[in-house]
């Protein structure tokens, strides 16, 4: 078993994560602009591009979890970062050579998704090796806050770069961010051990062991199922939300891209605020109670959205809705992740995390188009109500489960002899 290292290694880990996530927001916008304006993609083609990054999670996520549990996490993290940098550098080069087409771009997006799958699986398995159990909530909260700041300012940086140098060259910024992240991770001194070969079994056997451990666990089983339902509902809401804000008042709010961006910025501010309170809430009320209560409150801010109509205060209310929702998200996420990492044995960290993450991403693949189908068949407001109903159902499932009693394990106290 790998012993947690000092905070110095965690700081490198956090700095690497912060650097790469800012670059990721640049690429997310730049790829869509490149597809829409340079390659003249249709709406369906743009949807395929956005979905391509999640397909590896759905198809290969469980197998990658087995590999993460068999081998050391750090080389996977460093290798995935450097490989993503190379892939991103290839996109502007192909564009300059006149060889970039939409199918090629979609293939690159899928390849980036595959490398990100390896990175994410190893990333979640590596963190518990860097900090003790007592610091997991704080460590996850700090990572969530970095993501929230990137969520707030990343799109603005991306828009400025795309306007200044064009989408293909803006993608190089993300390539540089992955190179910096890889160098930082390579400097981490925590020692890991691969699983002993005699303990390794067939991939399918180990895959089943990881999935069985998740869904038979008294706490993680219902928490995971409720989480899959939450991702299904939330992906419906976020898909419809963009159209609802931008569409004409007869089927939406009739606002512009600037107002949409302001609401997203409010979401980032809320996530930072919630993350700052996550550790204190987990210690005072317990991880399980914090997650259950925040999950129960999450539908409330969304209720504002379909009830709104065109009025002078609409952007204020939209911003308030996103701010409050993401405060709750910032409170919930670190406590949920810390509990999962704390109760999962080292030998199962990769499989447990990728099992849950892969099925969550699968729920997004289903929920996003489902929200669109409901909106097309009825109205945008009806689709929003359907997503809110899904959030309520997720909260009910979780509240009725034993997870409300979940607490982080107490750190072991050293024994003294007299």
């Amino acid at each position: 078993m790998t012993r947690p290292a000092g905070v110095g290694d965690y700081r490198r880990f956090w700095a690497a994560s912060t650097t790469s996530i800012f670059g990721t927001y640049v690429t997310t916008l730049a790829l869509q602009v490149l597809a829409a304006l340079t390659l003249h993609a249709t709406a369906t083609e743009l949807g395929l591009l956005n979905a391509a990054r999640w397909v590896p999670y759905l198809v290969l996520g469980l197998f990658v979890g087995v590999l993460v549990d068999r081998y050391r996490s750090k080389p996977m993290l460093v290798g995935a970062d450097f490989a993503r940098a190379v892939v991103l550098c290839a996109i502007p080069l192909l564009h300059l050579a006149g060889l970039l087409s939409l199918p090629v771009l979609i293939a690159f997006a899928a390849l980036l998704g595959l490398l990100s799958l390896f990175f994410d699986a190893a990333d979640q398995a590596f963190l518990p090796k860097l900090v003790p159990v007592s610091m997991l909530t704080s460590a996850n909260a700090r990572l969530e806050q970095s993501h929230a700041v990137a969520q707030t300012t990343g799109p603005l940086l991306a828009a400025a770069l795309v306007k200044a140098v064009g989408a293909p060259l803006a993608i190089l910024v993300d390539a540089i961010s992955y190179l910096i992240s890889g160098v930082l991770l390579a400097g981490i001194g925590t020692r890991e051990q691969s699983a002993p070969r005699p303990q390794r079994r067939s991939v399918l056997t180990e895959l089943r062991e990881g999935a069985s451990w998740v869904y038979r666990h008294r706490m993680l089983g219902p928490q995971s199922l409720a989480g899959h339902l939450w991702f299904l509902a939330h992906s419906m809401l976020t898909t419809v939300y963009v159209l609802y804000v931008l569409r004409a008042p007869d089927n939406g709010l009739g606002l512009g891209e600037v107002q949409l961006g302001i609401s997203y910025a409010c979401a980032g501010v809320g996530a930072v605020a919630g993350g700052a309170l996550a550790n204190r809430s987990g210690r005072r009320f317990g991880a399980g109670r914090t997650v259950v209560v925040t999950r129960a409150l999450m539908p409330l801010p969304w209720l504002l959205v379909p009830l709104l109509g065109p009025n002078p205060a609409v952007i204020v209310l939209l911003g308030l809705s996103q701010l409050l929702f993401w405060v709750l998200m910032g409170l919930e996420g670190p406590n949920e992740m810390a509990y999962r990492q704390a109760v999962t044995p080292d030998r199962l960290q990769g499989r447990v995390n990728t099992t849950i993450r892969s099925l969550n991403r699968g729920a997004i693949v289903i929920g996003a188009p489902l929200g669109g189908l409901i909106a097309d068949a009825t109205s945008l407001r009806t689709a929003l109500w359907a997503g809110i109903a899904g959030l309520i159902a997720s909260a009910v499932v979780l509240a009725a489960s034993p997870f409300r009693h979940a607490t982080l394990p107490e750190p072991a106290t050293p024994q003294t002899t007299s």
Side-chain angles (χ1 to χ4, degrees):
M1 177 178 176
T2 307
R3 292 184 177 275
V7 294
D9 280 348
Y10 170 74
R11 286 172 180 161
R12 282 182 171 272
F13 181 82
W14 169 78
S17 176
T18 301
T19 302
S20 65
I21 194 63
F22 268 92
T24 296
Y25 273 97
V26 173
T27 291
T28 298
L29 180 67
L31 282 179
Q32 295 184 70
V33 172
L34 180 60
L37 300 184
T38 305
L39 301 178
H40 308 291
T42 65
T44 300
E45 290 169 336
L46 195 60
L48 290 173
L49 175 66
N50 290 334
R53 62 177 294 197
W54 301 119
V55 172
Y57 287 81
L58 185 61
V59 177
L60 298 172
L62 299 182
F63 294 95
V64 171
V66 174
L67 297 178
V68 170
D69 283 335
R70 286 186 174 189
Y71 302 104
R72 293 182 295 130
S73 297
K74 177 181 161 182
M76 288 191 187
L77 292 170
V78 175
D81 265 344
F82 288 158
R84 288 189 290 186
V86 171
V87 169
L88 287 175
C89 285
I91 293 175
L93 290 176
L94 287 172
H95 172 70
L96 290 173
L99 300 175
L100 187 65
S101 64
L102 196 62
V104 171
L105 192 63
I106 290 174
F108 271 102
L111 180 56
L112 283 170
L114 177 61
L115 294 170
S116 296
L117 166 60
F118 274 93
F119 184 93
D120 289 343
D123 175 82
Q124 292 185 348
F126 195 40
L127 179 58
K129 302 170 184 177
L130 299 177
V131 298
V133 169
S134 61
M135 293 179 60
L136 277 175
T137 303
S138 297
N140 278 295
R142 192 173 184 185
L143 291 170
E144 290 286 345
Q145 287 176 315
S146 294
H147 285 212
V149 172
Q151 177 185 346
T152 304
T153 60
L156 300 176
L157 172 63
L161 281 170
V162 169
K163 187 173 182 178
V165 301
L169 292 180
I171 292 172
L172 286 177
V173 173
D174 196 9
I176 295 170
S177 76
Y178 284 135
L179 285 174
I180 295 172
S181 175
V183 170
L184 287 170
L185 290 169
I188 290 176
T190 299
R191 295 183 178 275
E192 299 178 273
Q193 293 181 350
S194 301
R197 291 188 179 276
Q199 294 182 12
R200 298 179 190 173
R201 292 153 291 168
S202 71
V203 171
L204 288 177
T205 298
E206 294 191 16
L207 186 153
R208 285 193 297 267
E209 181 187 16
S212 177
W213 197 90
V214 170
Y215 294 106
R216 290 183 180 180
H217 193 280
R218 181 170 176 267
M219 300 293 191
L220 289 187
Q223 184 272 323
S224 300
L225 293 173
H228 303 333
L229 181 55
W230 186 93
F231 272 89
L232 179 77
H234 187 250
S235 63
M236 293 171 61
L237 287 168
T238 53
T239 298
V240 177
Y241 178 75
V242 174
L243 296 174
Y244 183 71
V245 171
L246 298 177
R247 285 277 174 90
D250 60 336
N251 194 26
L253 298 177
L255 302 177
E257 294 86 346
V258 173
Q259 288 90 339
L260 179 64
I262 291 172
S263 72
Y264 283 152
C266 291
V269 172
V272 172
L277 299 172
N279 187 51
R280 184 182 305 175
S281 177
R283 288 181 179 276
R284 181 170 181 178
F285 303 110
R289 188 175 298 176
T290 297
V291 172
V292 168
V293 171
T294 53
R295 190 74 62 85
L297 293 174
M298 281 181 185
L300 298 180
W302 273 104
L303 289 175
L304 278 174
V305 179
L307 293 175
L308 288 173
N311 66 75
V314 65
I315 185 59
V316 175
L317 295 174
L318 272 182
L320 180 63
S321 169
Q322 293 299 301
L323 176 78
L324 294 176
F325 178 78
W326 280 90
V327 166
L328 296 170
M329 284 280 290
L331 277 166
E332 182 217 37
N335 281 285
E336 180 182 355
M337 182 61 70
Y339 179 79
R340 183 200 307 172
Q341 292 169 334
V343 301
T344 301
D346 278 357
R347 65 182 182 83
L348 291 172
Q349 285 284 351
R351 280 169 283 175
V352 167
N353 286 315
T354 51
T355 294
I356 296 173
R357 179 183 285 265
S358 297
L359 293 178
N360 285 344
R361 298 302 180 265
I364 295 174
V365 172
I366 296 171
L370 178 60
L373 288 171
I374 294 174
D376 288 339
T378 56
S379 69
L380 292 172
R381 281 189 172 87
T382 301
L384 288 170
W385 286 117
I388 292 169
L391 290 184
I392 294 172
S394 171
V396 170
V397 170
L398 196 60
S401 76
F403 189 78
R404 63 186 183 274
H405 302 301
T407 57
L408 286 177
E410 292 293 331
T413 55
Q415 300 294 321
T416 60
T417 58
S418 57

